[in-house]
Every structure is written in structure tokens, then in C-alpha cells.
């Protein structure tokens, strides 16, 4: 049965745009219909080289967040600079703007997003636009618009144009009734944050579109992601990034989670590589469309002890944020990612000692450069 998105040609929708101070924007939409397409199994990019004609044309939404710039850099090295377009509603810093194609794209503006896909002959869409857990709880209405309405626009456009679509999910897609140690791919979820609810919605809608319309939907449940070149962005696991910046700059760190709060974590290089490997995996190797991935699991106390091996004078105190603590207490303590490892060969490179050393080397060198200037 063909997928049909139907509106009057003159119908208009008033949507909230997070990039415009939440002012209404007007979006004209038209009737769209297409026949379902079968998911191809011949896109076997994994561990092979590409000719120019084989290169996917990639669009990354929400590209100025924690992961977008790094993923764009990785994909541009693999597919060519002009084959990866970064997009966001914010003005990019100079080094990002000059590093490769960048365009303005508001995922709530369906017509604009569709034009970008058509005009640039996009074949892969990586959908990173989202409000994270703690920020989402502070503005549920905006999180609902961005995380759910925006997703619907992306799904419809991807299905209409036969795109390969990647939408990340999260440890936040689970809830207090989920098995926590370990958490398997398939189990009770029932999250209690708008962020988690929207991610479960994304997983299920993506799988529905795959089975109903043949959409090549792919999804990874990310653990907490730790990176040195981005600041904490409103997530519950942000303490695991902030500790490194504070340790280098001030020698003191105040953690907003209890010292024994164990959560799954991953260094950003592993996360980005997993994303690329998942996107390149032949369709016939995928036994499911949403996978857990994991690298390590630790508590704030264990992370602090590992950092103190390198910086023994670091002082750590705790001032518990009850909202973030409640969120963390409902999340997995450890991810079971055996299906990803068995199906498409996922394997992480960074454990806790390597993570700490890499972060301190990176942030420490940046701090020394800043002081010298």
C-alpha cells in the first residue's frame, strides 16, 4: 500500500521553530504520494572502497550538536568533502563553516527540508536534531515539537525519496521497570522523560515505516557519549564530560549525581565509528533495526578515581540534582550489545583508562595553548 502524506495545496501549519526564539513560522505543504520501495540489500559499503558514483550524498540535521561535526569530518574523509552536508538552525563557527558544505535547515519546516533533500540529491539522512533529557524536561512542549513533529517530517521525506535514514536512540529510552543490568535490545521500556518517550516513539515509527513502506531505517541506542571538543549540552550524563574540563581548569569538580550511579558510557570516536559501520552494514546482516551499543559502564566515583590517578590533587564533591538523579536511576546500568557485535561486528576501542588518558591529553593541550595565547 503506498504511503500518502496529504494536505491541501494552500493549507498552512504554524509550527514553533527553536531557532527563531519560538516564534511561529508558516509552512506551505503539498500533496505527496509514492509507492513503497523495497529495502535494498546491495548497499554493501562495509570495509570496501568507494568509487565516486557509489558515494552516498549525506545530510546531517542538528549538525552543530555534540556528534554532528565529528561525524561530518569522518564521513567527508570517507566519501569526499562535498558529499556530506552539515545543517542546523544556528550559525556555525568559522572553522565549521569553512570545513565543508553547511546549510540552514529547520526540521519543523517540512517544505524547506524536502527541498534540501531534492535539490542536493540526498541518499543518506542522519537525524541528530533533538532536545536532550534534562533540557527536554524543562521545556516539554518544545521537546515534543522538535523530537516528535520533527521526526515525522524526516520519516515522511525519507520514505518518499527512498533514503537510508539513521536516527539515534539512547539509554533514556528505558525506564524504571526495564531490566537494568544488563539491559537487552528487546524488553519493557516505559521511559519517564519526554526525551525517552520521544526516542521510543522514533524507534517504533522507524520500524513501522521499514515494515510498511520499505524505509531503510537504522537506529543505535547510544550510551552516554564523552567528547573533549564539545561542552556539556543538557544531558544527564554530562558530568562525565564536565569533570575533565573542571579537573584541568580548576582542580575541583562538583558532581550532580550520586557517587555510585552507574551508567553505560562511550568515547565519541567509538560512537561515530559505530554509526558509520551501522550505516554501511549490508541490510541482510541486520536482524533488527534498533541496536544497543556499549563500551564501558562506570559510576562518578569510579571515573573520579581514574582521573585522580593522573591528577591526584583533584577535589571532587557532590551536590545532587534530584531531577537528573531520578532520570539516571531509571536508566540502564549496563547495555547488552551482543546483537550488534554478532550481526555487524561492532567492537569498541576505548575502555575507561584509555578514555581518561585521551580526554586529559586533549583538554590539557587545549588549556596550555589557551594560556600561551
Amino acid at each position: 500500500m503506498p504511503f500518502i502524506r496529504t494536505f491541501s495545496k494552500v493549507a498552512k501549519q504554524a509550527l514553533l521553530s527553536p531557532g527563531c526564539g519560538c516564534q511561529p513560522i508558516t509552512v506551505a505543504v503539498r500533496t505527496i504520494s509514492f509507492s513503497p520501495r523495497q529495502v535494498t540489500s546491495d548497499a554493501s559499503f562495509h570495509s570496501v572502497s568507494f568509487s565516486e558514483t557509489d558515494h552516498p550524498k549525506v545530510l546531517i540535521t542538528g549538525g552543530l550538536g555534540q556528534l554532528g561535526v565529528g561525524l561530518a569530518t569522518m564521513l567527508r574523509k570517507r566519501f569526499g568533502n562535498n558529499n556530506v552536508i552539515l545543517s542546523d538552525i544556528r550559525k556555525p563557527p568559522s572553522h565549521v563553516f569553512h570545513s565543508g558544505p553547511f546549510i540552514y535547515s529547520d526540521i519543523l519546516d517540512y517544505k524547506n527540508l524536502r527541498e534540501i533533500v531534492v535539490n542536493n540529491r540526498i541518499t543518506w539522512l542522519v537525524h541528530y536534531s533533538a532536545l536532550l533529557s534534562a533540557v527536554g524536561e524543562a521545556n516539554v512542549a518544545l521537546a515534543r515539537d522538535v523530537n516528535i513533529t520533527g521526526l515525522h517530517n524526516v520519516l515522511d521525506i525519507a520514505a518518499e525519496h527512498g533514503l537510508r535514514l539513521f536516527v539515534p536512540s539512547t539509554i533514556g529510552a528505558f525506564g524504571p521497570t526495564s531490566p537494568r543490568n544488563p539491559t537487552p535490545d528487546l524488553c519493557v521500556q516505559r521511559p519517564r522523560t519526554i526525551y525517552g518517550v520521544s526516542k521510543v516513539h522514533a524507534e517504533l515509527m522507524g520500524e513501522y515505516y521499514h515494515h510498511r513502506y520499505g524505509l531503510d531505517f537504522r537506529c543505535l541506542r547510544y550510551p552516554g557519549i564523552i567528547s573533549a571538543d564539545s561542552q556539556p549540552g543538557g544531558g544527564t550524563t554530562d558530568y562525565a564530560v564536565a569533570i575533565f574540563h573542571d579537573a584541568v581548569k580548576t582542580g575541583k569538580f562538583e558532581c550532580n549525581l550520586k557517587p555510585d550511579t552507574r551508567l553505560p558510557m562511550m568515547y565519541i570516536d567509538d560512537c561515530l565509528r559505530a554509526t558509520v559501520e551501522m550505516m554501511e552494514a549490508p541490510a541482510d546482516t541486520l536482524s533488527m533495526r534498533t541496536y544497543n551499543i556499549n563500551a564501558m559502564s562506570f559510576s562518578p566515583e569510579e571515573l573520579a578515581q581514574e582521573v585522580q590517578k593522573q591528577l591526584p590533587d583533584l577535589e571532587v564533591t557532590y551536590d545532587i540534582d534530584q531531577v537528573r538523579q531520578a532520570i539516571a536511576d531509571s536508566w540502564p546500568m549496563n547495555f547488552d550489545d551482543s546483537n550488534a557485535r554478532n550481526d555487524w561486528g561492532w567492537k569498541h576501542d576505548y575502555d575507561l583508562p584509555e578514555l581518561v588518558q585521551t580526554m586529559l591529553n586533549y583538554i590539557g593541550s587545549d588549556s596550555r595553548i589557551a594560556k600561551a595565547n
Side-chain angles (χ1 to χ4, degrees):
M1 181 179 180
F3 170 88
I4 301 175
R5 177 177 181 135
T6 305
F7 297 97
S8 164
K9 289 186 178 181
V10 296
K12 296 182 178 180
Q13 294 175 304
L15 300 174
L16 291 178
S17 169
C20 303
C22 295
Q23 297 300 312
I25 61 174
T26 302
V27 180
V29 291
R30 295 179 181 274
T31 300
I32 306 157
S33 64
F34 61 93
S35 297
R37 296 178 53 151
Q38 296 301 314
V39 177
T40 60
S41 60
D42 58 354
S44 302
F45 302 138
H46 193 63
S47 300
V48 298
S49 60
F50 293 81
S51 69
E52 187 64 30
T53 56
D54 289 330
H55 286 162
K57 194 68 178 287
V58 185
L59 174 67
I60 302 173
T61 68
L64 296 183
Q66 182 185 22
L67 301 176
V69 174
L71 183 65
T73 300
M74 183 176 288
L75 291 175
R76 284 167 179 165
K77 289 178 180 177
R78 191 157 179 78
F79 302 139
N81 214 52
N82 292 328
N83 286 318
V84 181
I85 301 173
L86 205 59
S87 72
D88 208 298
I89 56 173
R90 293 178 290 159
K91 180 180 176 182
S94 179
H95 74 279
V96 172
F97 184 77
H98 293 291
S99 66
F102 181 92
I103 56 176
Y104 172 90
S105 175
D106 184 346
I107 60 166
L108 297 181
D109 187 339
Y110 177 85
K111 181 175 182 291
N112 171 252
L113 186 60
R114 187 166 177 249
E115 287 175 349
I116 291 170
V117 168
V118 171
N119 292 343
N120 293 282
R121 304 184 70 247
I122 299 300
T123 56
W124 287 11
L125 201 163
V126 177
H127 180 50
Y128 274 153
S129 295
L131 263 64
L132 301 184
S133 55
V135 173
E137 289 306 289
N139 195 336
V140 172
L142 182 60
R144 186 181 59 230
D145 283 342
V146 173
N147 295 7
I148 296 179
T149 303
L151 169 78
H152 292 173
N153 289 339
V154 167
L155 283 169
D156 289 352
I157 291 167
E160 179 190 0
H161 296 285
L163 309 185
R164 180 169 296 184
L165 174 63
F166 178 84
V167 179
S169 190
T170 167
I171 54 174
F174 297 93
T177 57
S178 305
R180 298 186 66 209
N181 191 21
T183 302
D185 286 303
L186 300 176
C187 64
V188 172
Q189 292 184 254
R190 299 292 184 182
R192 291 186 178 176
T193 66
I194 186 61
Y195 177 58
V197 169
S198 70
K199 287 302 184 180
V200 173
H201 180 74
E203 294 175 16
L204 295 178
M205 287 293 289
E207 292 185 16
Y208 174 78
Y209 271 57
H210 169 67
H211 292 296
R212 182 69 183 270
Y213 306 119
L215 174 64
D216 191 355
F217 171 81
R218 301 176 183 219
C219 177
L220 294 177
R221 293 192 188 109
Y222 290 156
I225 305 302
I226 302 171
S227 62
D229 55 357
S230 63
Q231 295 295 319
T236 300
T237 59
D238 279 354
Y239 84 88
V241 176
I243 187 173
F244 294 102
H245 291 279
D246 291 355
V248 171
K249 293 176 182 177
T250 69
K252 298 179 180 180
F253 173 65
E254 183 176 271
C255 183
N256 54 27
L257 295 181
K258 295 177 182 178
D260 61 349
T261 306
R262 180 175 298 276
L263 293 168
M265 300 283 187
M266 179 178 287
Y267 184 56
I268 188 170
D269 285 10
D270 277 342
C271 173
L272 298 178
R273 181 171 54 81
T275 302
V276 174
E277 290 179 2
M278 170 63 159
M279 285 295 281
E280 292 181 343
D284 59 7
T285 67
L286 305 179
S287 64
M288 56 188 66
R289 288 285 151 172
T290 298
Y291 289 87
N292 294 341
I293 54 167
N294 197 21
M296 66 196 88
S297 183
F298 56 74
S299 66
E301 185 175 47
E302 290 169 338
L303 176 59
Q305 290 171 353
E306 193 66 36
V307 174
Q308 286 167 335
K309 291 179 183 179
Q310 305 294 325
L311 299 173
D313 293 333
L314 172 64
E315 298 178 15
V316 179
T317 57
Y318 295 87
D319 183 15
I320 310 307
D321 180 324
Q322 296 302 325
V323 173
R324 295 192 187 211
Q325 186 65 50
I327 292 171
D329 287 343
S330 72
W331 283 0
M333 300 169 66
N334 192 26
F335 257 165
D336 176 0
D337 62 355
S338 56
N339 285 315
R341 294 176 186 267
N342 293 332
D343 286 2
W344 45 275
W346 161 241
K347 183 180 180 181
H348 70 279
D349 287 336
Y350 290 83
D351 289 310
L352 182 56
E354 292 82 10
L355 165 72
V356 169
Q357 190 65 62
T358 301
M359 289 288 288
L360 290 176
N361 287 346
Y362 191 104
I363 294 173
S365 64
D366 277 0
S367 178
R368 287 189 292 272
I369 291 171
K371 289 178 181 178
N373 291 334

